[in-house]
C-alpha cells in the first residue's frame, strides 16, 4: 500500500460533484482530507481519460474475501473489510444474520470495537426479527418476534454503534420496535416481511425509513394487493436498497425503482457474503450451508438466494453500462444517499473540501483503476 503524500492534485479527470460532472476537473488532497486549494509545490497526478467519484458507501454487507462479519475473528473481519476497500467501498457497515440473541450480542461487542477504531461505519442487524414466510437465507428455528426489549438488548450490546435493524414490522412488537429505534436515531428498515400495503404504511408512519433489498424477501407487487413494494416506493420518507448484480433483480425492476423513487431515494448495496471477492465454493451463512456457483450464492437446502458475491465497483459498472443510469445518479445512490442515512455525510459521500479523501478512479469504461481512503492509496491508478 502506498504511503500518503502531503499534498496531491488529482487533475484532468471527469470529477463527479454534488452539483454535477466537471470536465477536466481536479481534486486536491491534503493529508487525509480534500482541500480547497493546493500549495505551489503540490504533486500533480494526471488522470486524463478517467472518472473521479466519491468512495462507495455500503450499508448492507455480510462479508467478503472468504470472511464472515457474523462469525469471523477480528482478523477475518478486517480481511473482509480490506477486500471491499479494494473494490472501492471506503465506508462499510457490517451486517449480521439471524442467530441466538446472546450470540448476536457478543458479535455486536466485537464489531463495535472495529467501529470505534474507524474500520467500520456501524452495525446492521438483519434478523432475527423477521418473518418465517420470507426468511430467505435465515434459520427459521432462530427467528423471533421483534420484542422491543430484545431490540434494546442488541442496541446496548453495540454500545452506540448500531446503525440499522431490519424488521418484519407486521409481527407482534414490530411497530413498537420501530418507534424505539427511531427515538434512538437508529434506522428501522422494513425487510424479510410478509406485510400488507396498509401494514407497511403504518410502519413508515411509525418511523421506518429504509426498505431492505427492495423486492427481495417480500410479497410481489400485485394489482389488488400492492403489498410493501408499492408503499415503500411511493413514500418520500423511504430509501430503497437495491442489489444490482443481475441475479437479485430484473433490469426492469431496477428501472422502476429509479423512475418511481428517484435517484435521491435509492441506495445501491451488495448484501455480500463471504464469497465476495473470493470465489465459488461451499460457505456458511450463520448456521446455514451455502453453495456459490458461477458467482451466485444459494442455500444448499432449499436453493434460496443467500446474499450475493457482489462488490460495489461491479454494481456501479452495471448500473451505468447495462442499466443506463446516469453517472451522477449512480454516484448519489452508491455514495451520498447511504452516507446521509448513516449520519456520516459530513465526512464522506461526496468530493468536497473538508471531507475525508475517499475516492475511486474509474477508466472511460467505468472499470475501477484506483482507490484512495483518507488520503492513502489502497490501489493506484498507475503502475510504479
Amino acid at each position: 500500500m502506498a504511503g500518503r503524500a502531503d499534498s496531491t492534485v488529482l487533475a484532468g479527470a471527469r470529477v463527479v460533484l454534488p452539483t454535477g460532472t466537471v470536465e477536466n476537473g481536479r481534486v486536491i488532497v491534503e493529508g487525509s482530507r480534500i482541500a480547497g486549494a493546493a500549495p505551489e509545490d503540490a504533486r500533480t497526478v494526471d488522470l486524463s481519460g478517467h472518472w473521479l467519484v466519491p468512495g462507495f458507501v455500503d450499508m448492507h454487507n455480510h462479508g467478503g474475501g472468504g470472511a464472515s462479519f457474523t462469525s469471523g475473528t477480528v482478523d477475518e473481519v478486517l480481511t473482509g473489510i480490506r477486500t471491499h476497500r479494494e473494490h472501492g467501498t471506503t465506508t462499510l457497515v457490517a451486517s449480521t444474520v439471524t442467530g441466538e440473541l446472546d450470540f448476536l450480542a457478543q458479535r455486536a461487542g466485537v464489531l463495535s470495537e472495529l467501529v470505534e477504531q474507524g474500520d467500520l461505519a456501524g452495525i446492521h442487524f438483519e434478523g432475527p426479527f423477521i418473518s418465517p414466510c420470507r426468511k430467505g437465507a435465515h434459520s427459521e428455528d432462530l427467528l423471533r418476534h421483534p420484542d422491543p426489549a430484545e431490540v434494546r438488548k442488541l442496541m446496548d450490546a453495540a454500545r452506540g454503534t448500531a446503525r440499522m435493524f431490519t424488521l418484519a414490522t407486521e409481527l407482534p412488537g414490530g411497530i413498537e420496535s420501530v418507534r424505539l429505534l427511531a427515538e434512538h436515531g437508529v434506522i428501522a428498515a422494513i425487510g424479510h416481511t410478509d406485510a400488507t400495503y396498509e401494514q407497511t404504511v403504518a410502519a413508515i408512519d411509525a418511523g421506518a425509513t429504509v426498505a431492505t433489498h427492495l423486492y427481495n424477501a417480500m410479497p410481489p407487487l400485485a394489482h389488488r394487493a400492492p403489498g410493501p413494494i408499492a408503499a415503500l416506493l411511493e413514500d418520500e420518507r423511504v430509501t430503497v436498497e437495491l442489489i444490482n448484480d443481475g441475479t437479485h433483480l430484473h433490469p426492469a425492476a431496477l428501472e422502476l425503482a429509479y423512475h418511481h423513487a428517484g435517484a435521491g431515494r435509492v441506495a445501491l448495496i451488495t448484501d455480500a457474503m463471504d464469497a465476495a471477492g473470493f470465489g465459488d465454493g461451499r460457505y456458511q451463512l450463520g448456521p446455514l450451508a451455502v453453495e456459490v456457483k458461477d458467482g451466485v450464492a444459494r442455500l444448499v437446502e432449499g436453493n434460496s438466494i443467500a446474499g450475493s458475491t457482489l462488490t460495489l465497483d461491479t454494481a456501479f459498472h452495471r448500473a451505468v453500462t447495462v442499466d443506463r443510469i446516469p453517472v451522477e445518479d449512480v454516484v448519489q445512490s452508491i455514495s451520498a444517499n447511504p452516507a446521509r442515512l448513516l449520519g456520516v455525510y459530513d465526512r464522506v459521500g461526496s468530493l468536497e473540501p473538508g471531507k475525508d479523501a475517499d475516492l475511486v478512479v474509474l477508466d472511460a469504461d467505468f472499470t475501477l483503476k484506483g482507490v484512495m481512503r483518507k488520503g492513502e492509496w489502497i490501489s493506484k491508478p498507475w503502475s510504479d
Side-chain angles (χ1 to χ4, degrees):
M1 189 178 291
R4 178 183 290 127
D6 288 335
S7 187
T8 303
V9 179
L10 306 175
R14 291 178 170 178
V15 181
V16 181
L17 302 174
T19 51
T21 298
V22 177
E23 301 285 341
N24 193 27
R26 58 187 226 153
V27 172
I28 301 162
V29 177
E30 190 85 45
S32 65
R33 304 262 181 180
I34 298 171
E40 292 183 3
D41 60 350
R43 178 190 181 200
T44 297
V45 175
D46 183 9
L47 293 177
S48 299
H50 291 77
W51 291 83
L52 199 56
V53 302
F56 308 145
V57 180
D58 194 352
M59 57 188 282
H60 187 157
N61 188 313
H62 298 278
S68 167
F69 296 153
T70 297
S71 58
T73 65
V74 169
D75 285 344
E76 288 170 341
V77 172
L78 289 170
T79 294
I81 294 169
R82 282 193 297 270
T83 296
H84 285 283
R85 284 180 185 169
E86 290 167 359
H87 290 273
T89 298
T90 51
T91 301
L92 184 147
V93 170
S95 302
T96 62
V97 296
T98 294
E100 294 284 1
L101 208 64
D102 288 342
F103 173 77
L104 292 174
Q106 182 270 332
R107 289 305 297 173
V110 172
L111 295 172
S112 66
E113 293 183 11
L114 295 174
V115 179
E116 289 160 1
Q117 66 189 40
D119 291 299
L120 291 170
I123 303 170
H124 163 217
F125 294 97
E126 187 181 22
F129 309 116
I130 61 176
S131 172
C133 302
R134 305 285 174 177
K135 64 182 184 297
H138 292 257
S139 176
E140 185 168 352
D141 293 342
L142 298 174
L143 300 183
R144 52 211 301 138
H145 292 161
D147 181 345
E150 294 183 341
V151 171
R152 184 60 186 262
K153 176 179 178 177
L154 294 181
M155 287 174 56
D156 291 344
R159 303 199 301 265
T161 66
R163 295 290 176 266
M164 184 162 69
F165 280 72
T166 291
L167 310 170
T169 53
E170 76 277 9
L171 296 176
I175 295 297
E176 293 81 3
S177 294
V178 168
R179 293 193 181 110
L180 171 70
L181 292 167
E183 287 169 5
H184 287 83
V186 179
I187 297 167
I190 300 172
H192 288 276
T193 176
D194 203 40
T196 63
Y197 173 89
E198 292 77 14
Q199 289 170 325
T200 306
V201 168
I204 297 168
D205 287 342
T209 56
V210 166
T212 293
H213 44 55
L214 185 75
Y215 301 114
N216 298 112
M218 59 182 63
L221 186 66
H223 63 292
R224 282 192 292 270
I229 294 172
L232 294 163
L233 279 176
E234 73 183 8
D235 199 301
E236 296 292 326
R237 296 169 290 182
V238 176
T239 298
V240 297
E241 295 182 345
L242 298 175
I243 308 171
N244 192 25
D245 61 354
T247 298
H248 281 78
L249 298 177
H250 189 283
L254 181 120
E255 182 183 0
L256 175 67
Y258 266 98
H259 176 76
H260 204 74
R265 290 178 45 221
V266 171
L268 293 178
I269 61 161
T270 61
D271 193 18
M273 46 83 69
D274 314 16
F278 201 66
D280 289 357
R282 185 69 68 95
Y283 296 86
Q284 287 292 127
L285 188 60
L288 303 177
V290 175
E291 183 75 28
V292 179
K293 184 177 180 181
D294 298 328
V296 178
R298 293 186 180 275
L299 291 182
V300 172
E301 293 188 14
N303 207 38
S304 291
I305 295 176
S308 84
T309 62
L310 185 64
T311 51
L312 281 181
D313 59 329
T314 299
F316 192 110
H317 184 272
R318 182 180 176 84
V320 176
T321 63
V322 176
D323 304 304
R324 304 296 180 184
I325 306 296
V327 176
E328 295 81 3
D329 289 352
V330 178
V331 168
Q332 191 173 1
S333 302
I334 212 166
S335 299
N337 295 344
R340 286 193 184 95
L341 282 166
L342 297 171
V344 295
Y345 189 67
D346 60 326
R347 304 197 309 273
V348 300
S350 65
L351 300 177
E352 296 177 274
K355 292 194 175 185
D356 290 348
D358 290 3
L359 53 88
V360 172
V361 181
L362 306 165
D363 68 14
D365 297 320
F366 302 100
T367 299
L368 184 142
K369 292 297 179 182
V371 181
M372 176 183 282
R373 184 175 186 269
K374 294 189 176 180
E376 186 171 350
W377 288 109
I378 293 170
S379 60
K380 298 178 188 176
W382 68 87
S383 299
D384 287 322

